[in-house]
Structure formats: C-alpha cells, structure tokens
C-alpha cells in the first residue's frame, strides 16, 4: 500500500521535469490522497510520505504561478513533517525535509506578499539545517539547504 501511494508522487516528479503539466499536478494530487490514507496507521513513514506528497504538489503549484495554493500545500507539508521531526529527534532526514519545505514555503509566501512570514520560514529553515548539519556533517545537501535559506534572507532583507 505504501509503495502504491508513492507511485503517483514519484511519477509527478518525473513528469515535472518537463514542466508543471496538468498530468503532473493530477498525479501529485492523487499522491496526496493516497498518502493521507496511509497515515491512518499513525506511522512515521506514513506521515513523512504525506509531507513529501504535499511538498511535491506545492512545488508544482508554485511553478504554475498558483502561489496561494502552493503556500497552503507547503504549510500543510511543513506542519506534518514538523510534528514528526519533533517526536523523533534522532532521524535527521525529517529535519532536513522540513528545512527544504520551509525554503519552498518562504518562496511561495514571498510571492503572495507575505514577506514577514517568508522571513520566519527561511530563518527556521536556516536554523534547522545548521543544527542538522552539525549532527550529520557528511550530508552535503544540508549545506545547500542552509545556503538557500541564507541567500533568500539576505536578498529579502536587501529589498526592504
């Protein structure tokens, strides 16, 4: 069941390489629906899959210019993975995903004119990525997440 729920999300990612098509967005929405069903058992894996499905849908929506809808999906993704990362402080993967989602959320919030909220998202992303990188220094993606948040914050502060 879990694998079948991930298939539409993974397919949507592949389709999105060619652009945020209607088909990719439909698959991403199907992935969210299936992932929601898999959270009924209360497992961390189900929660992580749901957060990822919402994150991928939010990213596709942002690429189509539907920033308000993207921000809503990304906020739900962040809320889901944040709860999981707080209940399981050992698994760095959850915190890394949260930081990436917060970076995307910040960008969507900025697009819809919610700059102060975007700054909060980027600050949280930077703090999470920095802390996680100190625990997992061999994970180079965390440095990229931290750099992206820092760059967004510097750019945003420079426009104010």
């Amino acid at each position: 069941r879990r694998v079948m729920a991930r298939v539409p999300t993974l397919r949507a990612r592949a389709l999105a390489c060619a652009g945020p098509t209607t088909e990719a967005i439909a698959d991403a929405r199907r992935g969210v629906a299936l992932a929601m069903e898999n959270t009924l058992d209360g497992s961390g894996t189900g929660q992580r899959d749901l957060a990822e499905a919402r994150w991928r849908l939010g990213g596709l929506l942002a690429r189509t210019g539907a920033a308000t809808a993207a921000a809503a999906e990304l906020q739900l993704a962040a809320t889901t993975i944040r709860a999981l990362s707080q209940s399981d402080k050992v698994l760095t993967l959850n915190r890394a995903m949260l930081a990436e989602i917060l970076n995307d959320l910040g960008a969507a919030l900025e697009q819809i004119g919610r700059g102060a909220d975007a700054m909060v998202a980027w600050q949280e992303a930077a703090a999470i990525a920095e802390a996680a990188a100190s625990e997992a220094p061999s994970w180079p993606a965390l440095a990229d997440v931290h750099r992206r948040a820092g760059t967004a914050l510097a750019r945003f502060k420079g426009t104010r």
Side-chain angles (χ1 to χ4, degrees), residues 148-159:
R148 182 176 169 216
T151 300
L153 282 167
R155 179 186 45 75
F156 188 78
K157 287 178 182 175
T159 63

Side-chain angles (χ1 to χ4, degrees), residues 39-131:
T39 62
L40 298 176
D41 67 359
S43 73
T45 301
Q47 295 296 314
R48 188 172 33 261
D49 289 350
L50 177 58
E52 181 181 7
R54 288 196 179 283
W55 175 29
R56 300 305 177 194
L57 174 57
L60 283 167
L61 292 169
R63 288 176 57 195
T64 67
T68 301
E73 285 298 331
L74 292 165
Q75 185 63 59
L76 289 168
T79 299
T80 300
I81 198 69
R82 183 181 288 113
L84 184 58
S85 69
Q86 290 171 346
S87 69
D88 180 358
K89 302 216 185 258
V90 175
L91 193 57
T92 305
L93 173 66
N94 296 332
R95 286 176 284 137
M97 183 185 290
L98 175 58
E100 289 190 78
I101 291 168
L102 289 168
N103 272 333
D104 291 348
L105 176 60
L109 291 169
E110 182 182 26
Q111 280 186 321
I112 60 175
R114 292 178 49 196
D117 293 328
M119 281 193 59
V120 170
W122 289 322
Q123 288 168 338
E124 186 180 359
I128 290 167
E130 186 175 343

Side-chain angles (χ1 to χ4, degrees), residues 15-37:
L15 289 170
C17 291
T21 64
T22 304
E23 186 178 8
I25 291 170
D27 272 0
R29 288 187 194 286
R30 196 167 27 263
V32 168
L34 291 169
M36 287 177 75
E37 290 176 18

